[in-house]
Amino acid sequence: MQKLWTKNFTIITIGTIISMFGNAVAGFAMGLLVYADTGSTLMFALFSVCYSIPKIVLPLVAGPFIDRFSRSKIIYTLDFISSGIFGLIALLLSLDMFSYAAYLIMSIIIGSIDSVYAVAYESLYPALISKGNFSKAYSISSLIYPIASTIMVPIAGVCYQSIGLVPLFIFNAISFFIAACFETQIKYDEAYIKIASQDSTRGFRRFSKDMKEGIDYLRSEPGLMAIAIYFFFTMMCSATEGTLLLPYFTDVQRSQMSSLFGLLDLGIFKGDNGAFSAVTFYTVLMSIATAGRLVGGVVHYRTKINPKIKFNIAITVYTAICFIDGAFLYLPVEIMSLLKFASGFLAVNSFNIRISSTQNYIPDEKRGRFNGIFQMIMTGGTILGQLISGALGESFGYREIILGGMAVNLVAVFAVMYARRSHVKKIYNCEV
């Protein structure tokens, strides 16, 4: 096994850490501000949908280009642009020139950048991992966001109530700028560009040919197709929780919740007027979930999993999360917190199995197209789930909607992944 911490891998890891610290702040703060301004689950969901809409089309369009041009240049260019956009948001907020319509426009722009960035990053990252270190590398990658969220989301919650959003977006702009500077130092042989240059087709014909090849490749791989279909459903169902959890804790009354290890009675979750702040508890709960992901990532990094049982682990996790996420809002906050930690712990391990296995399985010259299609499929599921849960949230109980979503997710686990297990095992149960 070769050394994992090569120069390029170190650079992209540091750059990702820095940008994630800023991103964790901005994502939480903008969502909270939009719901606080509108008080509507539907308008909150529409904000999320506007962010996600570009991810339906752009990954599919970007995939063929990412397989022909420098992925590292695409990544650092988009990070420089993101830095400028978050700086502009900070300026508009400081001048009181930011309206709900402006939120939606900015959300679409940021979503467009993130959709292309995600495909480029997921296609570049495997190329920077030394042979035999895929599992460890993705364990490290999976630790970055939990660390950032565990540290920054509670800080963002406090800052939102004390100093406002402007300093948070300035921090985010600086983070992206520094990350981009690091990423300009990535140097590696992008051999896939040479392979693509051998094709004499040009213009739109070349683009349509590349796109068709990506779709045909997915169709020809029943294991990858099963994974893609399942993740459409799981993203759709998980979107119910992602859309309704913050509104639930924003609207919840103190009488509906027991004390969390006595901390509520100590005033830690009280607002300026002494009233219980469920929003503050929401930030703590999300930090508990990301702490679970952090611990899970460390365990996955330090533990060598027998390749023969990786599919069994993944299917067990998929099933367990359906029960955990469907039930936890019905339980006292002590148990709620433990379950969120468990959910985070389990999710990061199944994530590592899925992404390390699929990226190891796919040829480098096809990664951009596959990742673009896969991102489009997941985003389609997310948007559908956001719209359904946002609309239902206007008339029905948030907890019941989330429970229903997890029930559908459970059906998909067995109807898609388990039913096609012989094909998926060929991808999951491999040494990476």
Side-chain angles (χ1 to χ4, degrees), residues 158 160-162 267 269-277 280:
V158 173
Y160 173 76
Q161 296 180 344
S162 57
F269 296 119
K270 292 182 178 180
D272 294 337
N273 60 358
F276 169 66
S277 175
T280 305

Side-chain angles (χ1 to χ4, degrees), residues 317-336:
V317 170
Y318 298 154
T319 303
I321 288 177
C322 291
F323 285 99
I324 290 173
D325 289 355
F328 88 103
L329 283 179
Y330 291 90
L331 302 169
V333 293
E334 294 91 345
I335 301 177
M336 188 188 299

Side-chain angles (χ1 to χ4, degrees), residues 10 16 46 51 58 90 122 240 245 265 285 289 307 361 394 415 418:
T10 302
T16 305
L46 286 174
Y51 171 79
L58 283 181
E122 289 183 7
T240 60
L245 206 56
D265 293 330
L285 189 65
Y361 182 82
E394 297 290 308
Y418 189 74

